[in-house]
Amino acid sequence: MSRVFTPLLIAVVAVLNNVSCAGTIDPGVHPKLQLKVGQTQLRLEDGDGVCRAIASTGEGAAARYILDVPWPCQFHVDKAGNVRTIQGAGHVYVLVESSTRVKGASSDDCETFLRSIRINGKRVEVSPHKDRVASCPPFQWDALMFKELFD
């Protein structure tokens, strides 16, 4: 009896753990919510259930950008857990990602939204486009993804 019961109990606990974590940031993982690029400080925060970026340069007022991706969100990180940036054409690009597990016991997919931000000196721009994919982090996005959301 215990041969059948123990694996069944482990499977039920694993499923309940995955369902309970849907739509939340894993408490064991520290999300990357701040980044400094040159003189520009970027911070991500909750704006009534939507991810919002705050950019400040230390010279007074901060600019707020609604990213139109669900909260919680974080900056995309590399395999070492550091915020990943890409440089090109005088800009520094960073991706913001928001991911939730797709509901359903048989699914290991996520609904992940991506938005790119580029910085050039003190100038900050949010990509006019966002992407929606069925991949779950951690995932190393192609460098093209950082820039393509601006085209």
Side-chain angles (χ1 to χ4, degrees):
M1 171 91 169
S2 68
R3 284 185 181 172
V4 173
F5 184 69
T6 302
L8 180 61
L9 181 60
I10 291 170
V12 168
V13 169
V15 167
L16 289 175
N17 184 44
N18 280 342
V19 170
S20 68
C21 290
T24 63
I25 293 176
D26 183 347
V29 175
H30 299 289
K32 299 297 182 177
L33 302 176
Q34 295 188 37
L35 171 68
K36 185 164 186 174
V37 177
Q39 299 174 356
T40 303
Q41 178 75 36
L42 286 176
R43 184 178 79 243
L44 301 175
E45 65 180 31
D46 183 4
D48 295 321
V50 177
C51 186
R52 182 170 49 195
I54 312 298
S56 58
T57 59
E59 294 181 1
R64 289 174 165 65
Y65 304 91
I66 297 173
L67 301 180
D68 196 29
V69 298
W71 179 263
C73 65
Q74 68 176 18
F75 291 114
H76 173 61
V77 295
D78 62 18
K79 291 178 183 178
N82 301 311
V83 175
R84 185 171 170 221
T85 60
I86 301 293
Q87 296 186 13
H91 295 92
V92 175
Y93 294 83
V94 62
L95 279 179
V96 176
E97 56 189 21
S98 170
S99 190
T100 55
R101 289 217 175 268
V102 173
K103 293 183 175 140
S106 65
S107 177
D108 287 332
D109 288 338
C110 291
E111 182 176 43
T112 300
F113 293 91
L114 300 166
R115 195 80 187 242
S116 186
I117 298 174
R118 68 182 174 192
I119 302 111
N120 185 345
K122 296 179 185 177
R123 185 173 173 207
V124 175
E125 296 176 83
V126 175
S127 64
H129 308 288
K130 65 181 176 184
D131 204 358
R132 182 176 146 192
V133 296
S135 296
C136 296
F139 189 85
Q140 292 300 294
W141 304 109
D142 188 284
L144 187 61
M145 177 68 80
F146 287 70
K147 300 173 185 177
E148 196 167 87
L149 294 172
F150 281 93
D151 295 333

